[in-house]
Amino acid sequence: MELTGLQSSRNLYAGSFGLNQNCQLHFHLKVKTHFSGKMAALGNRGVVTEAAGFKAEEDVEKLRGAMKGAGTDEAAIIEVLAHRTIAQRQLIKQAYKQSVGKDLDDDVKSELTGNFEKVVVGLLMPAPKYDAYELKNAMKGAGTEEACLIDILASRTSAEIKALIAVYNKDNEQNLEDDICSDTSGMFQRVLVSLLTAGRDESSKVDEALAVQDAKDLYEAGEARWGTDEVKFITVLCVRNREHLLRVFQEYQKLSGRDIEDSIKREMSGSLEDAFLAIVKCIRSRPAFFAERLYKSMKGLGTTDSVLIRIMVARAEIDMLDIKAEFLKMYSKTLHSFIKGDSSGDYRQILLELCGGEK
């Protein structure tokens, strides 16, 4: 199986990793342990790219050696898994099972612990499966990690959302929308359900008259009235395409004298505010959104490791180069230096590898 080019890399989300256009699972990745050749990355702005001269069976031997006997060679695990694309890791998993008769995931879980284990386990999952896994964990037990629901659903493309829904429903034998509805409420729930429909217009057409009307509608739904008509915000922010919304934001600024983000902060609060802000920020720049989330996960006392891990694992081969550039522009410090100062041990090392060089 050889995939080259950006189109192939995009197809990995909805094709090779288990989904056709109707989002039906049909995971038929045939593996040869002698496989060599190129497996395209999910994006073309990632730090992790396909390893040259890749042979799954050679990586299997390195991983077996790293976990055999007393002790674990964590450096060898990092050397292999942090420098292979998700597609290549799937081939390694298949080859490992063929030659060892056990799941690589299970061996990893029995050998590793803590945040380092969480990163490695995440790296072994296809992208939609990792998103589904994170969403499930966010709703497990008492309480809900609303930030995870927002981070994923506000930032993924329609194709990615359809893919993760199909995987979630199959893996958990539950319906993602039902789970979200039982774990959230009110207008916040309605925003998430709207995002789950994956119905955003993905063309680049800008209707100038509609952009002016949308800006007016948003103004009249918020700043210009007592109380807020949140449904109007859903109708515009969760449905219109990116280019159109950028025009709406310009028109809104002219009309109200305020940036749309400032108005959202004035009109809303809590998870609903966070959700709408995330949507606006992702429309403007996904890399800048993730750079801000990474910064906030590490600044001050303590680290929100769940956010740090999720973004580093999910974006490593999609747009990490752009996230790093935005981080430096926004905070005048490198993402590399932040991670280095905020983590330790093997956990720090694997994050640094996923981050790439210091610049």
Side-chain angles (χ1 to χ4, degrees), residues 326-354:
E326 289 293 339
F327 194 98
L328 181 59
K329 189 165 79 176
M330 292 162 72
Y331 305 110
S332 301
K333 290 186 178 176
T334 65
L335 176 58
H336 192 280
S337 69
F338 249 68
I339 291 171
K340 198 168 184 179
D342 224 67
S343 53
S344 61
D346 299 312
Y347 174 48
R348 172 206 278 165
Q349 192 53 46
I350 198 163
L351 289 180
L352 290 177
E353 295 300 319
L354 295 175

Side-chain angles (χ1 to χ4, degrees), residues 165-179:
I165 289 171
V167 174
Y168 184 101
N169 294 353
K170 181 175 186 295
D171 285 357
N172 299 296
E173 296 183 346
Q174 288 172 278
N175 183 278
L176 176 56
E177 184 179 328
D178 291 345
D179 284 356

Side-chain angles (χ1 to χ4, degrees), residues 174-194:
Q174 288 172 278
N175 183 278
L176 176 56
E177 184 179 328
D178 291 345
D179 284 356
I180 283 177
C181 285
S182 67
D183 250 62
T184 59
S185 61
M187 202 53 67
F188 175 55
Q189 177 192 101
R190 289 170 71 170
V191 174
L192 297 180
V193 169
S194 177

Side-chain angles (χ1 to χ4, degrees), residues 6 39 59 86 111 138 169 173 188 197-198 206 216 231 233 235 259 268 299 322 352 358:
L6 184 56
M39 293 294 295
D59 285 343
I86 295 173
E111 292 286 328
N169 294 353
E173 296 183 346
F188 175 55
T197 65
V206 178
K216 187 168 177 247
V231 173
F233 279 80
T235 303
D259 185 82
M268 299 168 200
K299 74 164 189 171
D322 297 327
L352 290 177
E358 292 193 33

Side-chain angles (χ1 to χ4, degrees), residues 4 85 163 170 223 252 268 297 305 322 355:
T4 57
T85 61
K170 181 175 186 295
E223 295 279 1
Y252 186 90
M268 299 168 200
S297 78
D305 292 295
D322 297 327
C355 175

